[in-house]
Amino acid sequence: MKLYALSLFLHLTSVTVWVGGMFFAYLCLRPAASSLKPEQRLPLWEAALGRFLNWVGIAVVLILLSGLYMMMAMGPANTPWPIHAMAGLGIVMMLAFGHARFASYRRLRRAVQAQNWPDGARALDGVRRIVAFNLVLGFIVIALAAAIRG
Ligand code: HEM
């Protein structure tokens, strides 16, 4: 497989893991878990998000490296504007992810360990807001990818 095709493969599978996981968390797990008591709901989210955010950490590195490689291979002057917009919004998504992982999720983990449910609920709401933001941006970036073809 040529290096460009391999990069596109890694780019697209990583995007699938990230955006698909956010869709599942927000639109499937969140409504299903909402009827649980805080002492059940918050440890469930802490365990599920801990695993998901680790996978997203790997996905973010792969998206960045593969995307930059493909941009370099195209040559910056030949790169269409939707790809520049993709890179810009992609970096905003990565910074938002970093905040969710290293600020909000850490607070959630500490609160669950201390069995402090009100603090845990506030921290989880912080993660929820970032996931909503990144899910919308993710769909916009995928629309930009489609715009390259049209
Ligand atoms: C730093 C961030 C990023 C950079 C530098 C980047 C760059 C690129 C480049 C150069 C291509 C190849 C286009 C082609 O060969 O036609 C591409 C494809 C693609 N990217 Fe990104 N990207 C980034 C982030 C993202 C993110 C966050 C998403 C989705 C949420 C995304 C979704 C896609 C999709 C769906 C394609 C396939 C387009 C196609 O080939 O038809 N990218 N990206």
Side-chain angles (χ1 to χ4, degrees), residues 44-87:
L44 170 70
W45 275 113
E46 189 252 349
L49 284 173
R51 289 172 179 81
F52 177 58
L53 295 173
N54 282 344
W55 284 111
V56 176
I58 297 170
V60 159
V61 171
L62 290 174
I63 290 170
L64 190 62
L65 292 179
S66 59
L68 290 177
Y69 169 76
M70 291 187 290
M71 263 179 119
M72 291 306 124
M74 284 177 176
N78 298 324
T79 302
W81 73 264
I83 297 281
H84 287 287
M86 174 186 286

Side-chain angles (χ1 to χ4, degrees), residues 109-125:
R109 197 173 52 195
R110 271 201 299 270
V112 167
Q113 279 162 1
Q115 303 198 348
N116 181 339
W117 309 124
D119 273 6
R122 268 191 295 278
L124 182 60
D125 198 55

Side-chain angles (χ1 to χ4, degrees), residues 3 11 15-17 19 23 27 29 34 43 46 64 67 74 80 88 103-104 114 122 126 132:
L3 196 50
H11 200 74
V15 162
T16 306
V17 167
V19 179
F23 186 93
L27 287 115
L29 186 55
S34 67
E46 189 252 349
L64 190 62
M74 284 177 176
S104 308
R122 268 191 295 278

